[in-house]
Amino acid sequence: MKLIIQIPCYNEAETLEIALNDLPKHIDGIDQIEYLIINDGSSDNTVEVAKKWGVHYVVNFKSNKGLARGFMAGLDACLRNGADIIVNTDADNQYCGADIEKLVRPILEGKSDIVIGERPIDQTEHFSPLKKKLQHIGSWTVRIASNTDIPDAPSGFRAMSRAAALKMNVVNEYTYTLETIVQAGRNKMAITSVPIRTNPELRKSRLFNSMFGYIKKSVLTIIRAFMMYKPLRFFSIIGGIVFGVGLILGLRFLIFLFMGNSAGHVQSLILASTLMILGFQTIISGLLADLIASNRKLLEDTQERVRRLDYGEEKHWKEQRNKKRNSKVKPGLSEDTNV
């Protein structure tokens, strides 16, 4: 069983070594632990620090591509290098490295494919009261959109099995954290969370420049993911509201008509007709979007099959089975592997 811990980096020379030193060197049930960084166009000596420390793999971007692109490039590199479990953590040592064992344990026990680290948000001193409230609201919104019960959706401290990583496909350019949860919920992957600890802040977050920017990007990401993975529900809600308002105005006009006092309310009839037509068209758009989403599901299945061929999945699992036959099976672990 091979674990690769990946760390997205953008000018992290000052904090990277601290984060690397905090990572575990051994976990029960894991035969091999390796380390990978994604150098997202750093202009400092981040790569030199990583190589000097002894990371096994470096994924290099010549220019800054963003957190989401870096995350997917890291998954690709981890899969190509034979990872059975992939853990994503931050280069600023926000998360406690010892808690990686908590993340991988549900995967090792076959209980989950994706595990999200739940931060103690209310107890985190460097989070402002507004940010704490926004974190809770954002997580609640993601739970509604994804039909999951993940309490800390924005957490980047997470683990996933090889099977789950093969299915991942992030399309937004801002962050992977929210979309992957919505995608996992839509595809009914086994996803759970575990409580983890955080370390004192070493530097300010670079993910957003202002609280308004954070809110705007997070809201747009959630809406886009909701539209992409549950389009019929999304457009039906909007269309139903618009149609309902138009229907109420139409009934109001009919009441005035039956009372013989409709002469001054023709504008209400026009507005009601317009809103009802717009609402109906929005619902029809939802039906069309739902058909497109069905095609997307077929494309995702095709992409997963292509990835399995590209990454040599058959050869990988044969090697894993041979290793298990040549060694004792550890208590609590099954010899069968679910793909």
Side-chain angles (χ1 to χ4, degrees):
M1 185 66 68
K2 183 176 183 179
L3 165 67
I4 296 183
I5 302 172
Q6 70 170 34
I7 307 177
C9 298
Y10 178 60
N11 293 333
E12 305 288 1
E14 294 183 3
T15 61
L16 180 57
E17 187 173 2
I18 298 173
L20 289 169
N21 288 334
D22 197 41
L23 298 179
K25 307 299 186 293
H26 171 77
I27 296 175
D28 289 340
I30 300 292
D31 302 313
Q32 187 177 2
I33 300 178
E34 294 181 346
Y35 312 92
L36 175 147
I37 70 160
I38 303 103
N39 174 37
D40 194 11
S42 298
S43 57
D44 63 1
N45 61 334
T46 294
V47 174
E48 288 75 9
V49 170
K51 289 181 177 179
K52 183 178 179 181
W53 187 87
V55 299
H56 299 81
Y57 313 104
V58 176
V59 176
N60 272 308
F61 287 154
K62 293 181 180 179
S63 61
N64 184 261
K65 303 291 186 180
L67 191 57
R69 291 280 298 276
F71 175 77
M72 289 305 299
L75 288 191
D76 176 75
C78 290
L79 290 169
R80 290 186 185 280
N81 286 285
D84 297 294
I85 301 176
I86 301 168
V87 166
N88 188 87
T89 187
D90 283 357
D92 61 357
N93 200 39
Q94 176 185 171
Y95 309 107
C96 182
D99 287 340
I100 287 178
E101 183 171 2
K102 292 182 181 180
L103 289 180
V104 303
R105 189 57 54 192
I107 298 176
L108 288 173
E109 294 174 352
K111 297 178 179 178
S112 184
D113 283 319
I114 301 176
V115 184
I116 311 294
E118 178 191 353
R119 296 168 294 178
I121 293 175
D122 292 327
Q123 287 74 45
T124 303
E125 295 181 358
H126 61 268
F127 281 5
S128 67
L130 177 59
K131 185 173 181 179
K132 292 176 182 179
K133 182 63 68 176
L134 291 174
Q135 293 275 2
H136 289 306
I137 293 174
S139 295
W140 174 81
T141 306
V142 172
R143 287 197 295 273
I144 298 299
S146 63
N147 288 333
T148 64
D149 58 356
I150 302 303
D152 186 10
S155 171
F157 195 44
R158 53 185 62 194
M160 63 179 63
S161 67
R162 186 177 183 87
L166 285 166
K167 300 179 190 304
M168 283 294 115
N169 187 28
V170 179
V171 297
N172 85 84
E173 297 182 355
Y174 173 53
T175 179
Y176 60 89
T177 56
L178 308 180
E179 184 178 344
T180 49
I181 294 176
V182 175
Q183 185 180 16
R186 173 188 177 273
N187 291 330
K188 300 189 183 303
M189 297 184 193
I191 180 171
T192 188
S193 66
V194 295
I196 52 99
R197 298 163 291 173
T198 56
N199 296 315
E201 187 179 37
L202 295 180
R203 61 161 175 78
K204 296 294 182 181
S205 174
R206 296 173 183 160
L207 190 57
F208 56 92
N209 296 323
S210 65
M211 191 59 66
F212 174 75
Y214 171 73
I215 295 171
K216 183 181 72 172
K217 289 183 178 180
S218 296
V219 168
L220 290 176
T221 299
I222 293 171
I223 291 175
R224 184 177 182 182
F226 199 8
M227 289 175 59
M228 186 179 300
Y229 296 110
K230 295 191 176 182
L232 181 58
R233 183 177 175 185
F234 178 84
F235 286 104
S236 294
I237 291 173
I238 296 177
I241 292 173
V242 174
F243 186 88
V245 172
L247 183 62
I248 292 172
L249 290 174
L251 292 174
R252 176 177 175 271
F253 175 81
L254 290 176
I255 291 173
F256 283 119
L257 178 65
F258 292 139
M259 293 174 62
N261 189 25
S262 62
H265 300 282
V266 178
Q267 297 91 338
S268 296
L269 178 61
I270 296 173
L271 180 59
S273 302
T274 303
L275 289 175
M276 291 175 70
I277 291 172
L278 287 175
F280 182 74
Q281 289 179 333
T282 303
I283 294 172
I284 294 299
S285 298
L287 292 171
L288 295 175
D290 192 57
L291 294 176
I292 295 173
S294 299
N295 288 330
R296 175 185 171 84
K297 183 65 172 67
L298 295 175
L299 290 173
E300 286 178 349
D301 292 341
T302 302
Q303 182 186 55
E304 182 185 352
R305 291 178 180 274
V306 171
R307 283 176 172 174
R308 289 182 179 278
L309 293 172
D310 189 24
Y311 298 139
E313 288 301 285
E314 185 176 351
K315 179 181 178 182
H316 174 80
W317 291 115
K318 281 182 179 179
E319 291 176 353
Q320 292 299 312
R321 284 193 291 269
N322 290 335
K323 287 180 181 178
K324 288 184 178 181
R325 291 193 189 101
N326 295 332
S327 61
K328 290 184 178 180
V329 179
K330 298 182 180 181
L333 296 178
S334 170
E335 288 192 60
D336 297 327
T337 303
N338 296 320
V339 180

